[in-house]
Amino acid sequence: MDEPSLIGLDWGSSRLRAYLLSRDGAVRETRSSDAGASRLAVGVAGDARAALFERQLRELVGDWLTPRRPIIACGMVGSAHGWREAAYVPCPVDLSDLHRHLTLVHGSDGLQIHIVPGASYRAAGLAPDVMRGEETQVIGALAQHATWATGASIVLPGTHSKWVRVADGRLVSFATRMTGELFEQLRSHSLLARSLEDSRELDRDAFAQGLAASRDARGGDLSHLLFGVRTLHLFGERTPHALTDYLSGLLIGHELASGLPQAPAELPLVLVGDERLCARYQLALASFDRGASAQLVDSAALGLTAVARSHGLA
Amino acid sequence: MDEPSLIGLDWGSSRLRAYLLSRDGAVRETRSSDAGASRLAVGVAGDARAALFERQLRELVGDWLTPRRPIIACGMVGSAHGWREAAYVPCPVDLSDLHRHLTLVHGSDGLQIHIVPGASYRAAGLAPDVMRGEETQVIGALAQHATWATGASIVLPGTHSKWVRVADGRLVSFATRMTGELFEQLRSHSLLARSLEDSRELDRDAFAQGLAASRDARGGDLSHLLFGVRTLHLFGERTPHALTDYLSGLLIGHELASGLPQAPAELPLVLVGDERLCARYQLALASFDRGASAQLVDSAALGLTAVARSHGLA
């Protein structure tokens, strides 16, 4: 087993995940903390903010740090509210070129961090779109299956789901869909919240009913379909548990009805993310007569390794 | 001027509005309080709840009450959490028949209240839809322009916008769209809230940009378009004030893109509701190459008068 030669950081809004990595990309050790980049230094700027980030890093993996072990980081750590802003690279971008845009940050005692840039995309006449961290997950996914680089749709479900088109080794375009965030907002704060209770085990029938409603509306009229959560409760047709899964079905169905027309059926569709959530998306895809070619749990470590290697760091 | 012969109550979730009405439907006096039906008797049932409602009524208009002056009420006062539940009447329903479904409630000292039922509608295979109070507003609108009863779309914008189809004197069908509620949720609680500030004066350009985005997406992909509120802020392309109107444009555009295909262009489209909000919908309709045939501020008093008269009460 070779000596760990790289430290990878997947430093998102709500969590910091650190990987101690071998030359071949194998994860030797993983640690994580809730020192998310968005909650770490609210209202603090400049050197003081950088010091806060450095302290969190040293607290979590201080014993991993050696002068000859490079550190590479992706995610919100590179946002305007992160350790240091790493400007977005506009799509289309050659994924093997991304390492040319690393932002080098110097800490105390010779500490150096290479931050992977986020990516931006703008369809003609529309608002821009952005990602931070998911570009690295995509690189990690392609590292596991080289043929996907020739053409694939990579879907990363979550609070802000990303639908990414890859072709000829390039990140061509992508779209963000706020599925997870809408779900949280509606079940926590809206009038619908009164009709809902947390569901421990998926109610497949209620979930399928929500999916079908959004599918049949072709992703349209969401603000109408959502009201059905209230009325199904009012008419006693679904329990508050089941209605939580109905709402989930409506919102994931809305996402699929909107995203799938841009994901050609002849290309692989790859799900990347939390295992339970991806399983739910697999069910949803089936009700749209589609399937995922693969499901990957976490590809950040592999992506960080690939970018570091392109840059001669590992 | 004839003696007031009727008391009308528009008793909604958040407010109680009382009208002292002449035989001809003219409003002699209006009073209102924040004794909304949804906040009045949370967790209180049966006689105790009824007593709470009666007390609020007597506090507001005790001096109007005489043995020979009937009282008619519409809105959430007739919901399962109201004074007394008045069951929904399913659509299609002849609007001149609605009075046959009044629920009579007896209070103390001979007090009698006639509660107008809400209406329900169920499209094949979909969740049911409901309204309470808007059926009376629709009757009031038709009272002002009898030819609308032969065929019209009545749109009542608000927290839960209602799109109502009227034909041959019947309430044929309707759909609720949670536009106002989504707007409040997103601007108060979501990640987007950080990008928004209250807009005092409508930014027409930002509003139009939001409308156009939803219109061009034909009401689809809302969860993607919403993320644009965040990115336009991130890229400094719109001020937080303007972005509030952009969000409003996205959501009203989503509502119109979904509702207008069911509102035949050859029939009148009538807006009923708050004057400023309806003015905003007028602007929005223009960007969909449609217009409203009329805009009514409040038709509840006229509607209550019409139902009471059909029932021989006034």
Side-chain angles (χ1 to χ4, degrees), chain A residues 94-106:
Chain A
D94 198 313
L95 285 164
S96 62
D97 278 348
L98 209 65
H99 75 92
R100 296 185 205 280
H101 304 276
L102 293 177
T103 294
L104 180 60
V105 179
H106 295 273

Side-chain angles (χ1 to χ4, degrees), chain A residues 209-223:
Chain A
Q209 188 188 359
L211 287 171
S214 273
R215 185 193 63 216
D216 295 348
R218 291 182 216 161
D221 219 357
L222 182 63
S223 69

Side-chain angles (χ1 to χ4, degrees), chain A residues 293-312:
Chain A
S293 310
Q295 179 181 322
L296 311 177
V297 171
D298 183 1
S299 54
L302 268 177
L304 288 163
T305 304
V307 177
R309 200 173 291 161
S310 302
H311 205 65

